[in-house]
Amino acid sequence: MASTLDITPVAGALGAEISGVSLAEDLTNAQFDEIHRAFLDHHVIFFRDQSGLTPDAQKAFARRFGTLNVHPYVKGMDGHPELLEIIKEPEDKLNFGGGWHSDMSFLEEPALGSILYGIEIPKFGGDTLFANQIAAYEALSNGMKDMLSRLNAVHSASREYSAKGASAQDRQSMQSEVAVDAPEYEHPVVRTHPETGRKGLYVNPAFTLRFAGMTKRESRPLLNFLFEHSRDERFTCRFRWSQDAVAFWDNRCCWHYALNDYQGQRRHMRRATVNGDRPR
Ligand code: SIN
């Protein structure tokens, strides 16, 4: 059947903008299949002018991809615990998500994807960056790939959501809890995408503490190399938000970074997070 969607890549490594569909309406199976295919092919997809994407409509779209996550440490929206309101007030210094990460990698079954809706967008700044972790893996030497294939890494919310961690800082706009005794989970450093079978790196600076069976000090040099390599410009794309735009990224193979470069302005987003499976 002929496509009704227009899908335009935004960068060489990942990201595509899709037009010709309203996510607020019930999608036909054909539309859903095309969006799903674009999500797997481009790793992060963007939609503009999605006014009318109410909390219920956002949840309904997200549920086409899986069950919804209720964040263990950040309070959800009143009446919609599965939705996070990501707000930075003009006087807030830190922003939420202001560092490279993959959402919820600190869970035993981390997030499949996140669907972020732009409600109030600063006049300048506030873009989100994305980095393709399949491309980052593929650019490594065979020797490094081989060594990494035998490693697991320990992930936890304990640092980011500790009393000093950026994600648990007091904001008047978002209520986060300090993660006391946050559990640790081991995930493979090289993850096989459950839907495409492609291999990608699965460590990130926010939630990966060390390699399994090694100390933090022993792990640090190689983790630092991977963190720097994985955000190399050639693996990235950048999304300039507009009001009512939507970004939907695949946490199984992407990092993202919310830029904190709009001091004195307000930014208000709403996120639905789709649960995923145990990394393999
Ligand atoms: C997040 O990490 O989910 C926040 C992304 C953003 O606000 O751009």
Side-chain angles (χ1 to χ4, degrees):
M1 204 164 95
S3 167
T4 53
L5 306 184
D6 196 19
I7 303 175
T8 310
V10 302
L14 79 169
E17 213 166 299
I18 300 183
S19 58
V21 65
S22 165
L23 304 181
E25 282 159 32
D26 281 346
L27 299 178
T28 63
N29 287 340
Q31 281 174 319
F32 172 77
D33 288 346
E34 262 195 274
I35 291 172
H36 189 195
R37 188 69 255 159
F39 175 69
L40 296 178
D41 289 346
H42 297 282
H43 316 304
V44 54
I45 48 180
F46 307 109
F47 305 82
R48 301 228 181 244
D49 302 323
Q50 297 295 322
S51 63
L53 193 68
T54 60
D56 283 330
Q58 186 174 1
K59 289 196 293 189
F61 173 64
R63 284 197 175 109
R64 300 280 309 243
F65 293 87
T67 57
L68 300 192
N69 175 264
V70 175
H71 201 289
Y73 308 119
V74 185
K75 187 180 172 300
M77 187 179 173
D78 285 342
H80 299 278
E82 317 89 334
L83 298 177
L84 286 186
E85 289 203 277
I86 299 177
I87 300 175
K88 181 170 180 274
E89 298 293 355
E91 58 279 12
D92 286 341
K93 291 213 165 46
L94 293 177
N95 67 336
F96 182 84
W100 284 112
H101 64 287
S102 166
D103 286 331
M104 323 299 290
S105 80
F106 53 80
L107 297 180
E108 186 172 14
E109 296 186 336
L112 176 157
S114 304
I115 298 167
L116 190 66
Y117 175 56
I119 295 173
E120 191 174 339
I121 306 302
K123 284 199 177 59
F124 46 80
D127 297 358
T128 308
L129 308 179
F130 298 89
N132 178 343
Q133 296 307 294
I134 294 172
Y137 169 76
E138 287 174 352
L140 294 170
S141 65
N142 287 338
M144 179 61 89
K145 283 181 186 155
D146 187 47
M147 181 179 66
L148 295 177
S149 71
R150 293 189 293 275
L151 295 179
N152 286 324
V154 177
H155 296 240
S156 173
S158 60
R159 187 177 50 213
E160 201 50 31
Y161 286 91
S162 72
K164 288 192 184 147
S167 297
Q169 292 303 304
D170 276 348
R171 300 177 177 85
Q172 71 172 58
S173 42
M174 294 177 71
Q175 291 173 28
S176 309
E177 272 177 36
V178 170
V180 183
D181 298 331
E184 296 187 342
Y185 293 105
E186 288 182 19
H187 300 312
V189 170
V190 179
R191 179 177 188 176
T192 302
H193 193 288
E195 294 188 85
T196 65
R198 297 182 72 187
K199 287 183 180 177
L201 290 172
Y202 194 69
V203 288
N204 69 85
F207 304 126
T208 308
L209 303 183
R210 61 185 187 280
F211 295 109
M214 295 190 204
T215 65
K216 279 190 184 169
R217 185 158 166 255
E218 288 165 344
S219 306
R220 191 50 46 200
L222 182 53
L223 278 181
N224 281 348
F225 163 75
L226 292 175
F227 294 161
E228 196 181 319
H229 169 79
S230 296
R231 57 163 204 243
D232 190 291
E233 270 169 50
R234 69 201 141 122
F235 311 135
T236 67
C237 74
R238 177 175 188 138
F239 187 57
R240 170 74 199 135
W241 285 93
S242 49
Q243 193 183 333
D244 298 317
V246 170
F248 178 18
W249 59 85
D250 189 337
N251 285 299
R252 301 166 295 185
C253 59
C254 282
W255 281 3
H256 60 284
Y257 188 126
L259 281 169
N260 185 10
D261 60 352
Y262 52 99
Q263 275 66 36
Q265 298 184 77
R266 188 171 200 271
R267 184 174 182 270
H268 179 183
M269 321 292 280
R270 198 209 291 140
R271 189 178 98 187
T273 311
V274 182
N275 288 319
D277 62 349
R278 185 156 200 168
R280 288 176 212 287

